[in-house]
Amino acid sequence: MPTDVGGGPAPTPAEEADVAPVVTRYGSGNETYASLVWRRFRRSTMGMIGLVLVGLLLFVSIFADFFAVMDPKATNLPFAPPDVIAFQDSAGNFSLIPHVYPIGDTGEFDPVTFQPLTGPVLDNPTPTGFFVEGYSYYFLWFIPSNIHFFGSTDGRPIQLLGTDKFGRDILSRGIVGSRISLTIALVVVALTTIVGTLVGITSGYIGGRLDAWVQRFVEFVLAFPQLPLYLALTSLIPVTAPSNVFLTFVIFVMAVLGWAQLSREVRSKTLSLARIDYVRAAIAVGSSDGRIITRHILPNVLSHIIVSITLAIPSVVLLESFLGFLGFAVKPPLISWGLMLQDTGTFSVIGSYPWILSPVIFVLITVFAFNALGDGLRDAIDPY
């Protein structure tokens, strides 16, 4: 019997047939591009955290009235400090339902200044519960309802983040204001993405004199100092204009000044894609320009556009907050995070009532969520 390389007897054909071949599978052969991106994306911890936070932000903003603890327009005690939340009753017993202790006078005085000291009033907690009745609103903008996710069961006010100078609950105004702030960001980014993509692909694919003139116009738009131009354009709207008109004009101004950079990036990618072999082959066989753009160039540019969207949204949120702080973004009775930050205009207010800075928390969470999501998508879409 012949021997194998190791010196032993070689296996017979029958023995070789009985041995099952070892097959190593690295993945299914019919995975789509989206499934490959998702498989890489879910390995990113920060990307998944950003995805969860973005989902929660959008969910809370859609059902903002349901999650709002108080009526965002109702007034109570001005500059009231945040209430204390504890999972124990006044006797010190543990309770699954959180108790809210309002801040009031403790009956004690500071030994140096003899000023009355404030603290949680432990003998009179505010009973709370989930899915309680509160102020009336329209669920999904057309269904009348008065059920709220969390609130007091006896109708007493709850200020978990304190109140502003008019006595309005900051937490409820921040939740409801997320609608305006996120709506501005999403609409502006959608308009800038559509315009920038169309201009960039058209300019890069056609080229020639059209590309030269379009790029000179893009450079003209990018040459403007955006902040003074924002302030100048928004000041054209009269003070007596309706809030919806002012909001529409602000969105229009942001979109007009924000599309140029994306168009430059899309153009550069289109110039490189237009010289690839399969695009030249499509031109050679007589494919129309529209088919080449939609079937060959746009899908390859789409990954960069998706990442640009997730990274542009926090920039618009920050811009809206800054313009709202200056009084050029949203007018009352609308509520936005930038408009809420107007109360922090003086250092004396910040020093005496630091909880007025609470709207900054909403902005920070939003910026972090979209930046983390965009960073994870960028690594998943283009790992090289």
Side-chain angles (χ1 to χ4, degrees), residues 120-148:
V121 182
L122 300 178
D123 58 349
N124 188 23
T126 301
T128 61
F130 294 95
F131 302 100
V132 299
E133 295 183 358
Y135 72 94
S136 299
Y137 64 95
Y138 285 94
F139 185 76
L140 294 178
W141 296 277
F142 64 91
I143 303 176
S145 177
N146 63 347
I147 303 299
H148 297 267

PDB file of all heavy atoms in Angstrom, residues 120-148:
ATOM      1  N   PRO A 120     -35.763  71.147  50.197  1.00  0.00           N
ATOM      2  CA  PRO A 120     -36.957  70.344  49.909  1.00  0.00           C
ATOM      3  C   PRO A 120     -37.892  70.276  51.122  1.00  0.00           C
ATOM      4  O   PRO A 120     -37.462  70.072  52.252  1.00  0.00           O
ATOM      5  CB  PRO A 120     -36.378  68.971  49.565  1.00  0.00           C
ATOM      6  CG  PRO A 120     -35.039  68.943  50.226  1.00  0.00           C
ATOM      7  CD  PRO A 120     -34.537  70.340  50.203  1.00  0.00           C
ATOM      8  N   VAL A 121     -39.164  70.471  50.834  1.00  0.00           N
ATOM      9  CA  VAL A 121     -40.208  70.382  51.866  1.00  0.00           C
ATOM     10  C   VAL A 121     -40.607  68.914  51.978  1.00  0.00           C
ATOM     11  O   VAL A 121     -41.413  68.408  51.197  1.00  0.00           O
ATOM     12  CB  VAL A 121     -41.404  71.281  51.521  1.00  0.00           C
ATOM     13  CG1 VAL A 121     -42.453  71.207  52.633  1.00  0.00           C
ATOM     14  CG2 VAL A 121     -40.952  72.715  51.297  1.00  0.00           C
ATOM     15  N   LEU A 122     -40.038  68.216  52.976  1.00  0.00           N
ATOM     16  CA  LEU A 122     -40.209  66.773  53.079  1.00  0.00           C
ATOM     17  C   LEU A 122     -41.564  66.369  53.619  1.00  0.00           C
ATOM     18  O   LEU A 122     -41.993  65.226  53.427  1.00  0.00           O
ATOM     19  CB  LEU A 122     -39.109  66.186  53.967  1.00  0.00           C
ATOM     20  CG  LEU A 122     -37.674  66.424  53.482  1.00  0.00           C
ATOM     21  CD1 LEU A 122     -36.681  65.832  54.461  1.00  0.00           C
ATOM     22  CD2 LEU A 122     -37.461  65.850  52.088  1.00  0.00           C
ATOM     23  N   ASP A 123     -42.258  67.259  54.306  1.00  0.00           N
ATOM     24  CA  ASP A 123     -43.540  66.879  54.900  1.00  0.00           C
ATOM     25  C   ASP A 123     -44.715  67.066  53.953  1.00  0.00           C
ATOM     26  O   ASP A 123     -45.866  66.778  54.331  1.00  0.00           O
ATOM     27  CB  ASP A 123     -43.778  67.688  56.180  1.00  0.00           C
ATOM     28  CG  ASP A 123     -43.760  69.193  55.922  1.00  0.00           C
ATOM     29  OD1 ASP A 123     -43.361  69.591  54.811  1.00  0.00           O
ATOM     30  OD2 ASP A 123     -44.132  69.957  56.828  1.00  0.00           O
ATOM     31  N   ASN A 124     -44.466  67.546  52.727  1.00  0.00           N
ATOM     32  CA  ASN A 124     -45.570  67.761  51.791  1.00  0.00           C
ATOM     33  C   ASN A 124     -45.133  67.365  50.383  1.00  0.00           C
ATOM     34  O   ASN A 124     -45.001  68.219  49.499  1.00  0.00           O
ATOM     35  CB  ASN A 124     -46.023  69.219  51.825  1.00  0.00           C
ATOM     36  CG  ASN A 124     -47.294  69.439  51.019  1.00  0.00           C
ATOM     37  OD1 ASN A 124     -48.070  68.505  50.778  1.00  0.00           O
ATOM     38  ND2 ASN A 124     -47.524  70.680  50.614  1.00  0.00           N
ATOM     39  N   PRO A 125     -44.881  66.062  50.145  1.00  0.00           N
ATOM     40  CA  PRO A 125     -44.446  65.655  48.800  1.00  0.00           C
ATOM     41  C   PRO A 125     -45.595  65.727  47.800  1.00  0.00           C
ATOM     42  O   PRO A 125     -46.776  65.587  48.149  1.00  0.00           O
ATOM     43  CB  PRO A 125     -43.976  64.213  49.011  1.00  0.00           C
ATOM     44  CG  PRO A 125     -44.779  63.732  50.171  1.00  0.00           C
ATOM     45  CD  PRO A 125     -44.975  64.923  51.073  1.00  0.00           C
ATOM     46  N   THR A 126     -45.213  65.958  46.543  1.00  0.00           N
ATOM     47  CA  THR A 126     -46.192  65.982  45.463  1.00  0.00           C
ATOM     48  C   THR A 126     -46.378  64.571  44.934  1.00  0.00           C
ATOM     49  O   THR A 126     -45.423  63.959  44.449  1.00  0.00           O
ATOM     50  CB  THR A 126     -45.725  66.904  44.325  1.00  0.00           C
ATOM     51  OG1 THR A 126     -45.531  68.220  44.834  1.00  0.00           O
ATOM     52  CG2 THR A 126     -46.748  66.946  43.199  1.00  0.00           C
ATOM     53  N   PRO A 127     -47.584  64.006  45.047  1.00  0.00           N
ATOM     54  CA  PRO A 127     -47.788  62.637  44.539  1.00  0.00           C
ATOM     55  C   PRO A 127     -47.710  62.622  43.015  1.00  0.00           C
ATOM     56  O   PRO A 127     -48.262  63.483  42.330  1.00  0.00           O
ATOM     57  CB  PRO A 127     -49.186  62.282  45.038  1.00  0.00           C
ATOM     58  CG  PRO A 127     -49.876  63.594  45.211  1.00  0.00           C
ATOM     59  CD  PRO A 127     -48.812  64.580  45.612  1.00  0.00           C
ATOM     60  N   THR A 128     -46.999  61.651  42.488  1.00  0.00           N
ATOM     61  CA  THR A 128     -46.792  61.550  41.049  1.00  0.00           C
ATOM     62  C   THR A 128     -47.256  60.192  40.544  1.00  0.00           C
ATOM     63  O   THR A 128     -47.563  59.280  41.329  1.00  0.00           O
ATOM     64  CB  THR A 128     -45.306  61.749  40.687  1.00  0.00           C
ATOM     65  OG1 THR A 128     -44.541  60.724  41.330  1.00  0.00           O
ATOM     66  CG2 THR A 128     -44.814  63.112  41.141  1.00  0.00           C
ATOM     67  N   GLY A 129     -47.289  60.062  39.264  1.00  0.00           N
ATOM     68  CA  GLY A 129     -47.686  58.804  38.639  1.00  0.00           C
ATOM     69  C   GLY A 129     -47.434  58.850  37.152  1.00  0.00           C
ATOM     70  O   GLY A 129     -47.089  59.901  36.582  1.00  0.00           O
ATOM     71  N   PHE A 130     -47.604  57.721  36.522  1.00  0.00           N
ATOM     72  CA  PHE A 130     -47.442  57.600  35.083  1.00  0.00           C
ATOM     73  C   PHE A 130     -48.812  57.529  34.421  1.00  0.00           C
ATOM     74  O   PHE A 130     -49.771  56.989  34.995  1.00  0.00           O
ATOM     75  CB  PHE A 130     -46.614  56.364  34.732  1.00  0.00           C
ATOM     76  CG  PHE A 130     -45.191  56.434  35.208  1.00  0.00           C
ATOM     77  CD1 PHE A 130     -44.819  55.858  36.421  1.00  0.00           C
ATOM     78  CD2 PHE A 130     -44.229  57.093  34.459  1.00  0.00           C
ATOM     79  CE1 PHE A 130     -43.511  55.916  36.859  1.00  0.00           C
ATOM     80  CE2 PHE A 130     -42.915  57.153  34.885  1.00  0.00           C
ATOM     81  CZ  PHE A 130     -42.555  56.576  36.093  1.00  0.00           C
ATOM     82  N   PHE A 131     -48.884  58.093  33.213  1.00  0.00           N
ATOM     83  CA  PHE A 131     -50.130  58.138  32.433  1.00  0.00           C
ATOM     84  C   PHE A 131     -51.229  58.823  33.237  1.00  0.00           C
ATOM     85  O   PHE A 131     -52.299  58.259  33.487  1.00  0.00           O
ATOM     86  CB  PHE A 131     -50.549  56.733  32.011  1.00  0.00           C
ATOM     87  CG  PHE A 131     -49.512  56.006  31.204  1.00  0.00           C
ATOM     88  CD1 PHE A 131     -48.690  55.054  31.799  1.00  0.00           C
ATOM     89  CD2 PHE A 131     -49.330  56.285  29.856  1.00  0.00           C
ATOM     90  CE1 PHE A 131     -47.722  54.388  31.069  1.00  0.00           C
ATOM     91  CE2 PHE A 131     -48.355  55.629  29.116  1.00  0.00           C
ATOM     92  CZ  PHE A 131     -47.549  54.676  29.727  1.00  0.00           C
ATOM     93  N   VAL A 132     -50.925  60.049  33.656  1.00  0.00           N
ATOM     94  CA  VAL A 132     -51.855  60.842  34.463  1.00  0.00           C
ATOM     95  C   VAL A 132     -52.523  61.884  33.572  1.00  0.00           C
ATOM     96  O   VAL A 132     -52.093  62.153  32.451  1.00  0.00           O
ATOM     97  CB  VAL A 132     -51.118  61.517  35.629  1.00  0.00           C
ATOM     98  CG1 VAL A 132     -50.498  60.483  36.552  1.00  0.00           C
ATOM     99  CG2 VAL A 132     -50.045  62.475  35.107  1.00  0.00           C
ATOM    100  N   GLU A 133     -53.586  62.481  34.091  1.00  0.00           N
ATOM    101  CA  GLU A 133     -54.294  63.533  33.376  1.00  0.00           C
ATOM    102  C   GLU A 133     -53.617  64.874  33.634  1.00  0.00           C
ATOM    103  O   GLU A 133     -53.151  65.153  34.734  1.00  0.00           O
ATOM    104  CB  GLU A 133     -55.758  63.588  33.813  1.00  0.00           C
ATOM    105  CG  GLU A 133     -56.558  62.347  33.452  1.00  0.00           C
ATOM    106  CD  GLU A 133     -58.019  62.473  33.829  1.00  0.00           C
ATOM    107  OE1 GLU A 133     -58.374  63.535  34.408  1.00  0.00           O
ATOM    108  OE2 GLU A 133     -58.793  61.549  33.545  1.00  0.00           O
ATOM    109  N   GLY A 134     -53.568  65.696  32.581  1.00  0.00           N
ATOM    110  CA  GLY A 134     -52.957  67.017  32.678  1.00  0.00           C
ATOM    111  C   GLY A 134     -53.639  67.991  31.751  1.00  0.00           C
ATOM    112  O   GLY A 134     -54.861  67.899  31.531  1.00  0.00           O
ATOM    113  N   TYR A 135     -52.863  68.915  31.209  1.00  0.00           N
ATOM    114  CA  TYR A 135     -53.448  69.909  30.316  1.00  0.00           C
ATOM    115  C   TYR A 135     -53.862  69.242  29.001  1.00  0.00           C
ATOM    116  O   TYR A 135     -53.320  68.224  28.597  1.00  0.00           O
ATOM    117  CB  TYR A 135     -52.466  71.048  30.072  1.00  0.00           C
ATOM    118  CG  TYR A 135     -51.285  70.702  29.200  1.00  0.00           C
ATOM    119  CD1 TYR A 135     -51.312  70.944  27.826  1.00  0.00           C
ATOM    120  CD2 TYR A 135     -50.130  70.139  29.738  1.00  0.00           C
ATOM    121  CE1 TYR A 135     -50.230  70.626  27.019  1.00  0.00           C
ATOM    122  CE2 TYR A 135     -49.042  69.829  28.937  1.00  0.00           C
ATOM    123  CZ  TYR A 135     -49.105  70.066  27.586  1.00  0.00           C
ATOM    124  OH  TYR A 135     -48.031  69.747  26.789  1.00  0.00           O
ATOM    125  N   SER A 136     -54.822  69.838  28.338  1.00  0.00           N
ATOM    126  CA  SER A 136     -55.375  69.280  27.102  1.00  0.00           C
ATOM    127  C   SER A 136     -54.481  69.632  25.910  1.00  0.00           C
ATOM    128  O   SER A 136     -53.901  70.722  25.843  1.00  0.00           O
ATOM    129  CB  SER A 136     -56.790  69.815  26.856  1.00  0.00           C
ATOM    130  OG  SER A 136     -57.647  69.446  27.928  1.00  0.00           O
ATOM    131  N   TYR A 137     -54.378  68.721  24.973  1.00  0.00           N
ATOM    132  CA  TYR A 137     -53.598  68.912  23.763  1.00  0.00           C
ATOM    133  C   TYR A 137     -54.173  68.003  22.691  1.00  0.00           C
ATOM    134  O   TYR A 137     -55.128  67.247  22.926  1.00  0.00           O
ATOM    135  CB  TYR A 137     -52.118  68.601  24.004  1.00  0.00           C
ATOM    136  CG  TYR A 137     -51.850  67.147  24.375  1.00  0.00           C
ATOM    137  CD1 TYR A 137     -51.495  66.210  23.408  1.00  0.00           C
ATOM    138  CD2 TYR A 137     -51.966  66.713  25.690  1.00  0.00           C
ATOM    139  CE1 TYR A 137     -51.259  64.892  23.737  1.00  0.00           C
ATOM    140  CE2 TYR A 137     -51.738  65.395  26.027  1.00  0.00           C
ATOM    141  CZ  TYR A 137     -51.386  64.483  25.056  1.00  0.00           C
ATOM    142  OH  TYR A 137     -51.180  63.174  25.389  1.00  0.00           O
ATOM    143  N   TYR A 138     -53.586  68.074  21.501  1.00  0.00           N
ATOM    144  CA  TYR A 138     -54.019  67.234  20.382  1.00  0.00           C
ATOM    145  C   TYR A 138     -52.919  66.223  20.089  1.00  0.00           C
ATOM    146  O   TYR A 138     -51.816  66.590  19.662  1.00  0.00           O
ATOM    147  CB  TYR A 138     -54.314  68.082  19.146  1.00  0.00           C
ATOM    148  CG  TYR A 138     -55.615  68.838  19.232  1.00  0.00           C
ATOM    149  CD1 TYR A 138     -55.647  70.148  19.697  1.00  0.00           C
ATOM    150  CD2 TYR A 138     -56.819  68.226  18.874  1.00  0.00           C
ATOM    151  CE1 TYR A 138     -56.843  70.842  19.791  1.00  0.00           C
ATOM    152  CE2 TYR A 138     -58.022  68.916  18.963  1.00  0.00           C
ATOM    153  CZ  TYR A 138     -58.027  70.213  19.426  1.00  0.00           C
ATOM    154  OH  TYR A 138     -59.223  70.886  19.525  1.00  0.00           O
ATOM    155  N   PHE A 139     -53.233  64.963  20.347  1.00  0.00           N
ATOM    156  CA  PHE A 139     -52.291  63.879  20.087  1.00  0.00           C
ATOM    157  C   PHE A 139     -52.176  63.680  18.582  1.00  0.00           C
ATOM    158  O   PHE A 139     -53.170  63.481  17.879  1.00  0.00           O
ATOM    159  CB  PHE A 139     -52.780  62.597  20.768  1.00  0.00           C
ATOM    160  CG  PHE A 139     -51.829  61.442  20.675  1.00  0.00           C
ATOM    161  CD1 PHE A 139     -50.704  61.398  21.471  1.00  0.00           C
ATOM    162  CD2 PHE A 139     -52.050  60.404  19.783  1.00  0.00           C
ATOM    163  CE1 PHE A 139     -49.821  60.344  21.396  1.00  0.00           C
ATOM    164  CE2 PHE A 139     -51.189  59.336  19.703  1.00  0.00           C
ATOM    165  CZ  PHE A 139     -50.060  59.314  20.517  1.00  0.00           C
ATOM    166  N   LEU A 140     -50.943  63.740  18.078  1.00  0.00           N
ATOM    167  CA  LEU A 140     -50.670  63.673  16.631  1.00  0.00           C
ATOM    168  C   LEU A 140     -51.408  64.773  15.885  1.00  0.00           C
ATOM    169  O   LEU A 140     -51.814  64.608  14.737  1.00  0.00           O
ATOM    170  CB  LEU A 140     -51.028  62.292  16.058  1.00  0.00           C
ATOM    171  CG  LEU A 140     -50.188  61.122  16.558  1.00  0.00           C
ATOM    172  CD1 LEU A 140     -50.688  59.825  15.959  1.00  0.00           C
ATOM    173  CD2 LEU A 140     -48.714  61.328  16.219  1.00  0.00           C
ATOM    174  N   TRP A 141     -51.599  65.918  16.548  1.00  0.00           N
ATOM    175  CA  TRP A 141     -52.122  67.154  15.986  1.00  0.00           C
ATOM    176  C   TRP A 141     -53.616  67.111  15.618  1.00  0.00           C
ATOM    177  O   TRP A 141     -54.135  68.105  15.108  1.00  0.00           O
ATOM    178  CB  TRP A 141     -51.322  67.570  14.749  1.00  0.00           C
ATOM    179  CG  TRP A 141     -49.913  67.899  15.069  1.00  0.00           C
ATOM    180  CD1 TRP A 141     -49.434  69.084  15.546  1.00  0.00           C
ATOM    181  CD2 TRP A 141     -48.790  67.030  14.957  1.00  0.00           C
ATOM    182  NE1 TRP A 141     -48.083  68.994  15.742  1.00  0.00           N
ATOM    183  CE2 TRP A 141     -47.654  67.747  15.372  1.00  0.00           C
ATOM    184  CE3 TRP A 141     -48.634  65.713  14.524  1.00  0.00           C
ATOM    185  CZ2 TRP A 141     -46.386  67.199  15.388  1.00  0.00           C
ATOM    186  CZ3 TRP A 141     -47.360  65.164  14.541  1.00  0.00           C
ATOM    187  CH2 TRP A 141     -46.256  65.905  14.965  1.00  0.00           C
ATOM    188  N   PHE A 142     -54.326  66.032  15.874  1.00  0.00           N
ATOM    189  CA  PHE A 142     -55.764  66.042  15.544  1.00  0.00           C
ATOM    190  C   PHE A 142     -56.603  65.197  16.505  1.00  0.00           C
ATOM    191  O   PHE A 142     -57.838  65.224  16.417  1.00  0.00           O
ATOM    192  CB  PHE A 142     -55.996  65.556  14.102  1.00  0.00           C
ATOM    193  CG  PHE A 142     -55.606  64.120  13.859  1.00  0.00           C
ATOM    194  CD1 PHE A 142     -56.535  63.102  14.016  1.00  0.00           C
ATOM    195  CD2 PHE A 142     -54.317  63.797  13.469  1.00  0.00           C
ATOM    196  CE1 PHE A 142     -56.183  61.784  13.787  1.00  0.00           C
ATOM    197  CE2 PHE A 142     -53.962  62.486  13.236  1.00  0.00           C
ATOM    198  CZ  PHE A 142     -54.892  61.474  13.396  1.00  0.00           C
ATOM    199  N   ILE A 143     -56.003  64.455  17.419  1.00  0.00           N
ATOM    200  CA  ILE A 143     -56.758  63.647  18.367  1.00  0.00           C
ATOM    201  C   ILE A 143     -56.733  64.343  19.731  1.00  0.00           C
ATOM    202  O   ILE A 143     -55.662  64.471  20.339  1.00  0.00           O
ATOM    203  CB  ILE A 143     -56.167  62.227  18.497  1.00  0.00           C
ATOM    204  CG1 ILE A 143     -56.124  61.534  17.146  1.00  0.00           C
ATOM    205  CG2 ILE A 143     -56.970  61.401  19.494  1.00  0.00           C
ATOM    206  CD1 ILE A 143     -55.461  60.174  17.161  1.00  0.00           C
ATOM    207  N   PRO A 144     -57.871  64.840  20.237  1.00  0.00           N
ATOM    208  CA  PRO A 144     -57.858  65.520  21.543  1.00  0.00           C
ATOM    209  C   PRO A 144     -57.538  64.536  22.665  1.00  0.00           C
ATOM    210  O   PRO A 144     -58.042  63.416  22.709  1.00  0.00           O
ATOM    211  CB  PRO A 144     -59.283  66.077  21.664  1.00  0.00           C
ATOM    212  CG  PRO A 144     -60.117  65.239  20.749  1.00  0.00           C
ATOM    213  CD  PRO A 144     -59.211  64.812  19.634  1.00  0.00           C
ATOM    214  N   SER A 145     -56.680  64.959  23.584  1.00  0.00           N
ATOM    215  CA  SER A 145     -56.261  64.113  24.695  1.00  0.00           C
ATOM    216  C   SER A 145     -55.752  64.984  25.835  1.00  0.00           C
ATOM    217  O   SER A 145     -55.412  66.160  25.637  1.00  0.00           O
ATOM    218  CB  SER A 145     -55.175  63.135  24.246  1.00  0.00           C
ATOM    219  OG  SER A 145     -54.709  62.359  25.335  1.00  0.00           O
ATOM    220  N   ASN A 146     -55.695  64.411  27.027  1.00  0.00           N
ATOM    221  CA  ASN A 146     -55.115  65.077  28.195  1.00  0.00           C
ATOM    222  C   ASN A 146     -54.281  64.109  29.031  1.00  0.00           C
ATOM    223  O   ASN A 146     -54.032  64.359  30.208  1.00  0.00           O
ATOM    224  CB  ASN A 146     -56.221  65.704  29.058  1.00  0.00           C
ATOM    225  CG  ASN A 146     -57.184  64.654  29.630  1.00  0.00           C
ATOM    226  OD1 ASN A 146     -57.179  63.495  29.205  1.00  0.00           O
ATOM    227  ND2 ASN A 146     -57.993  65.070  30.587  1.00  0.00           N
ATOM    228  N   ILE A 147     -53.849  62.993  28.452  1.00  0.00           N
ATOM    229  CA  ILE A 147     -53.042  61.997  29.148  1.00  0.00           C
ATOM    230  C   ILE A 147     -51.573  62.303  28.901  1.00  0.00           C
ATOM    231  O   ILE A 147     -51.164  62.540  27.759  1.00  0.00           O
ATOM    232  CB  ILE A 147     -53.391  60.571  28.676  1.00  0.00           C
ATOM    233  CG1 ILE A 147     -54.883  60.301  28.874  1.00  0.00           C
ATOM    234  CG2 ILE A 147     -52.563  59.554  29.435  1.00  0.00           C
ATOM    235  CD1 ILE A 147     -55.343  60.385  30.317  1.00  0.00           C
ATOM    236  N   HIS A 148     -50.786  62.261  29.981  1.00  0.00           N
ATOM    237  CA  HIS A 148     -49.362  62.541  29.907  1.00  0.00           C
ATOM    238  C   HIS A 148     -48.587  61.378  30.510  1.00  0.00           C
ATOM    239  O   HIS A 148     -49.067  60.670  31.398  1.00  0.00           O
ATOM    240  CB  HIS A 148     -49.029  63.840  30.641  1.00  0.00           C
ATOM    241  CG  HIS A 148     -49.679  65.043  30.041  1.00  0.00           C
ATOM    242  ND1 HIS A 148     -49.066  65.829  29.092  1.00  0.00           N
ATOM    243  CD2 HIS A 148     -50.907  65.586  30.246  1.00  0.00           C
ATOM    244  CE1 HIS A 148     -49.881  66.811  28.746  1.00  0.00           C
ATOM    245  NE2 HIS A 148     -51.005  66.684  29.435  1.00  0.00           N
TER     246      HIS A 148
END
